[in-house]
Amino acid sequence: MNKVLFVDDDDDLCRASVQSLSLAGFDVDCVQSAGEALGAIDAGFDGVVVSDIRMPGMDGLELLDRIVALDPDMPVILISGHVDVPTAMGALRCGAYDVLEKPYSAEQLVAAVERALERRQLVTENRRLRQTTTPDADDSPLFGHSPAMVQLRRTIAQVAPIGVDVLIQGETGTGKGLVAEMLHAASRRRGQLMTVDCGALPAGLVEAELFGSVADGLPGSRMPRTGRIEQASRGTLFLDDIDALGNGVQLGLQRVLEHREVTPIGATSARPVDLRVVSASSVDLEEAAREGKFRMSLFYRLNSVTLRLPPLRERREDIVPLFRRFVVQTSARLGIDPPALEARTFRHLEKHDWPGNVRELLRFAENFALGLDDSGPREPSLLEETDLKSRLEAFETELIEEALTAAAGDVSRACAALKLPRKTFYYRLQKLGVDLARFRS
Ligand SMILES: Nc1ncnc2c1ncn2[C@@H]1O[C@H](COP(=O)(O)OP(=O)(O)OP(=O)(O)O)[C@@H](O)[C@H]1O
Ligand SMILES: [Mg+2]
């Protein structure tokens, strides 16, 4: 880990500094503007940014602001032609790691970068440690062993503690609300999770609801109201179904995000807010923006990090384990034994497309636990079987399947429950055509 991103519009200075840093063994990249710098790094960038303060367009101080918003622990060293004390103090207060005055020697530059990298390494190591102690799939409320879910849990653990804004995209029922709750729970923010269901805000009251309002002093008229945005300060503002917001409100919201302050209706001055914005949408927001249905500039403010939740049909390996988990949870809540799985239930789990995703699967599992399985026609019941041998075999199959379900496919436990020797158990499985793999997640 020895990356340095050097940002300066002065060609000569860039070349000289890159040379000194490369000679000292750093892996240096040079860009000529703040915009390019922001394109070259993300929250996981494990290096140091060294930037000139005076640059055309976005200057070094604004770049610092944007980097701090991306990852407050990323070290930024600022370079200035004339460092007066107030500028230097201001930069340090805004989160700069160090300020270097021009002209500086190669040694000064290398020493500053070395110190900053050391600190970055420490932060990265700590994050890694926190990640390895992140609850694994079985403890996490977000369940599933598919690669997409494993990666999603990892990303949530990574971005939750950083104040970065997150956009969650996914079809209905894929877990967007759940992910928003997890992001807030694992953040270091002490305020509340303020959920705003943008699709359900009463028309005509949306602005007042979001931005708040001050009394207008006229008898019987407008009441003062603290807006949801202000209530979310120091916590997380969760804008659910954000695509439902009208164009005017989108513009107002964009200003709030840009300046991190809100002006209630009728107020003459803005109030600062400390926000972390998580938004969710089941329509593709980028596509909506391209089609002119959503403000492109707001989209770019919302999506510092985008989490995509795949539909259940694209991670079918999660279906049966999720179903099992939901059945066990529901049965435990109701104080009843989980019912035995039947072939028709499995068939439904395997064949159905689950357009309502995890929510639909959860409802199905709850109904199943309650004995209200409506997944298809029942196989002929035991009583309808004619000969004794078939009836006994059907009964035996049911008992074995029940034991395997309770043991989650663990043969030793199923054998113990049925008091059967292992060899006999395997023989009976083969004879009755019971597929062991079906019971293992
Ligand atoms: N991976 C998962 N593991 C466990 N439970 C899940 C998982 N994904 C979703 N759920 C549960 O499924 C239900 C639906 O999820 P959620 O409400 O978060 O979906 P959503 O994407 O917000 O849907 P909508 O777009 O309709 O608002 C919730 O009860 C949630 O707890
Ligand atoms: Mg939701």
Side-chain angles (χ1 to χ4, degrees):
M1 197 183 86
N2 59 353
K3 282 190 206 138
V4 182
L5 181 66
F6 202 91
V7 195
D8 201 328
D9 60 317
D10 178 340
D11 256 357
D12 293 340
L13 194 77
C14 231
R15 215 170 300 121
S17 303
V18 167
Q19 195 179 33
S20 324
L21 290 168
S22 304
L23 279 174
F26 296 111
D27 174 6
V28 198
D29 256 341
C30 185
V31 291
Q32 310 232 302
S33 70
E36 278 176 82
L38 287 172
I41 55 174
D42 56 23
F45 177 67
D46 59 354
V48 174
V49 178
V50 183
S51 170
D52 195 3
I53 292 187
R54 278 178 69 174
M55 289 185 290
M58 193 191 301
D59 67 12
L61 290 170
E62 202 184 330
L63 173 63
L64 170 67
D65 269 348
R66 303 280 287 268
I67 293 178
V68 168
L70 190 65
D71 180 350
D73 293 317
M74 192 182 299
V76 178
I77 298 171
L78 290 176
I79 299 171
S80 171
H82 38 81
V83 181
D84 53 296
V85 175
T87 310
M89 291 299 287
L92 293 174
R93 235 193 335 263
C94 291
Y97 179 75
D98 210 341
V99 182
L100 276 182
E101 189 175 9
K102 283 184 204 171
Y104 49 81
S105 66
E107 287 84 332
Q108 279 174 316
L109 176 65
V110 169
V113 166
E114 245 162 14
R115 276 198 308 273
L117 268 176
E118 221 167 77
R119 140 111 179 250
R120 184 64 177 161
Q121 206 158 10
L122 205 65
V123 169
T124 314
E125 282 308 322
N126 272 323
R127 276 190 196 155
R128 228 174 262 148
L129 205 67
R130 231 179 290 131
Q131 246 173 61
T132 48
T133 54
T134 300
D136 70 6
D138 293 334
D139 300 324
S140 169
L142 190 74
F143 189 74
H145 292 92
S146 59
M149 284 294 114
V150 173
Q151 181 57 44
L152 187 62
R153 276 192 296 275
R154 206 174 288 148
T155 313
I156 291 172
Q158 233 166 15
V159 302
I162 309 170
V164 68
D165 293 340
V166 180
L167 171 65
I168 311 169
Q169 295 258 236
E171 286 180 13
T172 182
T174 45
K176 299 184 294 297
L178 179 60
V179 169
E181 282 169 22
M182 290 170 71
L183 283 170
H184 178 69
S187 75
R188 301 195 195 106
R189 306 184 64 81
R190 279 169 289 131
Q192 59 176 326
L193 170 68
M194 171 55 66
T195 299
V196 180
D197 189 346
C198 300
L201 287 176
L205 291 178
V206 183
E207 273 91 350
E209 196 69 32
L210 281 177
F211 307 118
S213 59
V214 293
D216 57 7
L218 302 173
S221 52
R222 206 169 54 220
M223 293 288 289
R225 178 206 293 249
T226 308
R228 307 271 197 110
I229 292 175
E230 213 172 331
Q231 289 179 49
S233 194
R234 285 191 296 283
T236 303
L237 178 66
F238 175 37
L239 299 168
D240 203 1
D241 286 325
I242 190 160
D243 51 285
L245 287 183
N247 195 37
V249 186
Q250 286 180 34
L251 183 60
L253 188 61
Q254 185 183 323
R255 296 212 177 105
V256 171
L257 297 188
E258 268 163 11
H259 304 292
R260 301 279 152 172
E261 55 184 30
V262 63
T263 310
I265 298 170
T268 46
S269 58
R271 300 173 187 168
V273 280
D274 169 8
L275 284 182
R276 199 272 175 91
V277 182
V278 173
S279 43
S281 169
S282 49
V283 303
D284 185 328
L285 218 52
E286 187 171 9
E287 198 176 301
R290 252 190 272 116
E291 289 169 358
K293 295 180 188 148
F294 194 82
R295 293 186 73 85
M296 189 58 100
S297 41
L298 178 57
F299 167 71
Y300 281 122
R301 300 263 160 209
L302 296 170
N303 77 339
S304 302
V305 171
T306 300
L307 299 179
R308 288 184 196 281
L309 309 195
L312 206 46
R313 64 184 173 280
E314 286 177 16
R315 46 185 175 103
R316 296 205 74 100
E317 66 266 48
D318 282 342
I319 295 176
V320 172
L322 264 171
F323 172 77
R324 261 190 236 290
R325 185 175 159 115
F326 290 150
V327 170
V328 169
Q329 279 172 350
T330 309
S331 308
R333 202 171 57 237
L334 299 173
I336 54 176
D337 285 335
L341 288 171
E342 295 178 40
R344 61 176 181 150
T345 318
F346 263 114
R347 227 169 283 139
H348 183 64
L349 290 173
E350 275 161 14
K351 297 246 165 70
H352 190 53
D353 258 353
W354 303 102
N357 294 295
V358 185
R359 182 182 294 113
E360 186 186 357
L361 182 64
L362 175 63
R363 295 281 165 270
F364 177 69
E366 284 172 344
N367 281 346
F368 175 84
L370 286 166
L372 305 172
D373 181 356
D374 54 359
S375 56
R378 233 170 229 288
E379 272 79 75
S381 87
L382 279 178
L383 295 174
E384 288 159 42
E385 299 282 348
T386 45
D387 63 303
L388 184 65
K389 184 168 169 281
S390 320
R391 288 168 69 177
L392 285 175
E393 279 186 355
F395 188 48
E396 190 183 358
T397 307
E398 198 167 292
L399 290 177
I400 287 179
E401 289 192 337
E402 206 174 82
L404 277 170
T405 305
D410 180 331
V411 172
S412 305
R413 275 167 55 203
C415 287
L418 294 167
K419 298 196 173 59
L420 268 186
R422 229 180 150 80
K423 203 167 156 192
T424 316
F425 183 78
Y426 277 114
Y427 175 74
R428 297 310 298 163
L429 285 189
Q430 198 188 10
K431 193 88 189 149
L432 299 167
V434 176
D435 178 10
L436 198 53
R438 278 199 297 145
F439 299 88
R440 291 180 171 158
S441 50

